[in-house]
Every structure is written in C-alpha cells, then in structure tokens.
Amino acid sequence: MAEKTTNYQCPACTGPLHFSAETGKLTCEYCGSAYDVAEIEALYAQKEAEAAAAKEAADAKAEAAKADASLA
C-alpha cells in the first residue's frame, strides 16, 4: 500500500492529473495532455527547490533588515 499520495496539477492548464494504467502516464482530463511520471516529479522537484531558495533569500533579507534596525 502506498505510504503517501501526491496530487499533481497539469503544467498546461492546472487541471488535476490522473494516472492512466493503459498508457503508464499522468493524463489531464481537461486538456488531454499526458506526461511521464518522472517528468512531472522532476518539474515539481525543481519548483520546490526554487521555492526553498526564494524562502532562504527572503529570510536572509529579513535578518539583514532586522540587524540594520537594531544598529540604528
């Protein structure tokens, strides 16, 4: 039994992707796009990495502003 479930959105139209046992791909019932599971997982991993980098940059900026405010 699966330990976790992940719901992916279609990169083309943001509709939900469903696994098709016939094709072995994730398909979108709205726009008809089909993607390999590995392709979607790589896309989501890239987006998560970008979000983490943006959060780190925002946190660093907030810390710098806090340090500047305490010096003033």
Side-chain angles (χ1 to χ4, degrees), residues 4-53:
K4 78 175 192 178
T5 301
T6 303
N7 294 314
Y8 293 118
Q9 290 181 319
C10 176
C13 74
T14 69
L17 293 174
H18 300 281
F19 183 76
S20 170
E22 295 171 359
T23 63
K25 295 186 176 199
L26 294 169
T27 59
C28 178
E29 63 187 60
Y30 293 100
C31 71
S33 297
Y35 303 93
D36 289 324
V37 174
E39 180 182 2
I40 294 298
E41 287 178 345
L43 177 66
Y44 270 71
Q46 178 184 356
K47 286 185 176 188
E48 286 178 7
E50 290 171 358

Side-chain angles (χ1 to χ4, degrees), residues 46-64:
Q46 178 184 356
K47 286 185 176 188
E48 286 178 7
E50 290 171 358
K55 182 182 182 323
E56 284 183 26
D59 290 348
K61 185 176 180 180
E63 280 295 318

